Amino acid sequence: MCGLALTGTVAGLPPEPAGAETARTLAPGEEGSLLEECPPGRAGQAARVSDPDAAVPEGGELTPQQAEDYDRRFREALVPLRGQEMQAPRNVPVVVHVISAEDGRGDVPQARVDDQIEVLNTAFSGGYGTDGADTGFRFELSETTRTVNDTWFTRFDEYRDTIRAELHRGGAGTLNVYTAQLGTGLLGYSSFPQDYEAAPDQDGVVLAHDTLPGGGRDGFDLGHTGTHEVGHWLGLFHTFQNGCASPGDYVDDTPYEREAASGCPVGRDSCPRKKGDDPVTNFMNYSDDGCMTHFTEGQARRIVEHWAAFRS
């Protein structure tokens, strides 16, 4: 098994660049136990899973090198914006593309689509916990499209480029959400804002249809897969990006975390030499929906800056 694995596995990290903070110190007896580094995957997607054996599209987990490249492109895009006031948009238009089978599987009722938009607005306004930041982002459903296609529904990942190219609406500031049946354990995935210019018709968020509110996905049917993936769409990495090694997820106020959380292990401290317990209740983790409560102020600033750099 390679190092940058999925939920419940330890992340082995490559050496840090010169001048960076020293990568995590090995605990006694841990020497030689680190997993080998994963071969580079294709960037452009970040996934959320409920099963460590899930088939994750396009790499899913970013390598440290890929995350560093995304951050470099982000910082370069901010240079011409220095001195300008950056704000979240008043409303982000959302187009939800419901893809279903001929027998009715996946035909998400409009009420559940509306509930998903409400979940996004509550989450991004800090409404799920006293420690939640109001990011300033609000979302407004502008259209729901419905496509009945057995092949697209059951084999979305295989045909995703064609599906997204045919169904995509709007520009960089329009959130396109696609719902279908995904692989076992795979909850959803998203593009990053840095990739919009190169592939605008592939931009958006993909969700397993049963992760929308009331969908019946055990542990994951409150709509926070949508919250998580929209966080990626706005530029955030997983809280466990880079494990215990600097710079973590590139956000100062999210504690370091060696590996993704599963369930709701509140109080876990997988990077004891770093400040703070693991951010298991953060929306950018892999915790169960009922465990997730907030984005941080640092994450809120980062998504506003990404919006200004790539989507405004």
Side-chain angles (χ1 to χ4, degrees):
M1 182 182 295
C2 61
L4 287 172
L6 301 177
T7 306
T9 60
V10 177
L13 299 171
E16 292 208 60
E21 181 179 344
T22 302
R24 68 179 184 84
T25 302
L26 296 180
E30 191 182 20
E31 291 82 356
S33 65
L34 290 181
L35 301 172
E36 65 182 77
E37 182 185 346
C38 289
R42 286 197 293 160
Q45 304 289 340
R48 186 180 185 217
V49 302
S50 62
D51 180 350
D53 295 322
V56 181
E58 299 189 14
E61 300 283 330
L62 297 182
T63 67
Q65 293 79 11
Q66 289 168 341
E68 182 180 17
D69 180 64
Y70 274 122
D71 188 68
R72 176 188 56 78
R73 291 159 62 188
F74 166 55
R75 287 182 281 107
E76 289 174 352
L78 285 179
V79 170
L81 300 177
R82 285 175 180 169
Q84 298 183 25
E85 183 179 2
M86 301 182 194
Q87 295 182 337
R90 183 178 299 273
N91 281 299
V92 177
V94 183
V95 181
V96 177
H97 305 282
V98 176
I99 301 168
S100 61
E102 292 182 3
D103 61 7
R105 288 175 297 150
D107 189 14
V108 181
Q110 188 61 44
R112 287 179 51 214
V113 173
D114 295 340
D115 288 346
Q116 180 66 72
I117 302 301
E118 183 177 352
V119 166
L120 292 179
N121 283 322
T122 302
F124 280 85
S125 66
Y128 283 108
T130 57
D131 54 351
D134 185 346
T135 68
F137 280 77
R138 301 295 184 268
F139 303 87
E140 183 174 5
L141 182 68
S142 61
E143 183 181 4
T144 302
T145 74
R146 296 185 178 274
T147 303
V148 179
N149 186 311
D150 283 347
T151 300
W152 285 13
F153 176 70
T154 58
R155 298 160 65 185
F156 182 93
D157 191 47
E158 184 178 345
Y159 290 93
R160 64 174 178 264
D161 291 357
T162 298
I163 296 169
R164 292 186 293 199
E166 290 194 17
L167 297 181
H168 189 274
R169 302 282 195 276
T174 297
L175 171 60
N176 281 258
V177 178
Y178 304 85
T179 70
Q181 178 176 289
L182 304 183
T184 302
L186 180 58
L187 303 173
Y189 53 95
S190 173
S191 60
F192 284 101
Q194 287 89 328
D195 294 317
Y196 178 82
E197 184 176 4
D201 62 2
Q202 298 300 306
D203 184 63
V205 165
V206 178
L207 302 176
H209 68 92
D210 53 358
T211 66
L212 274 68
R217 187 68 167 258
D218 187 24
F220 301 99
D221 70 344
L222 300 180
H224 288 319
T225 294
T227 304
H228 178 103
E229 298 306 340
V230 173
H232 287 312
W233 186 77
L234 292 170
L236 297 179
F237 297 140
H238 292 130
T239 53
F240 48 89
Q241 179 67 47
N242 290 317
C244 299
S246 177
D249 66 347
Y250 293 82
V251 178
D252 290 339
D253 59 359
T254 56
Y256 285 83
E257 183 177 30
R258 185 186 305 276
E259 61 192 30
S262 179
C264 192
V266 173
R268 187 183 74 169
D269 186 6
S270 61
C271 297
R273 295 180 183 269
K274 302 287 189 179
K275 182 180 179 181
D277 290 340
D278 293 358
V280 300
T281 60
N282 193 282
F283 286 124
M284 299 314 295
N285 215 316
Y286 275 178
S287 308
D288 288 358
D289 278 12
C291 183
M292 291 179 157
T293 62
H294 71 286
F295 293 108
T296 68
E297 293 290 346
Q299 288 173 316
R301 287 191 298 272
R302 191 168 175 87
I303 64 176
V304 168
E305 291 170 345
H306 271 82
W307 184 269
F310 300 107
R311 296 201 181 278
S312 65

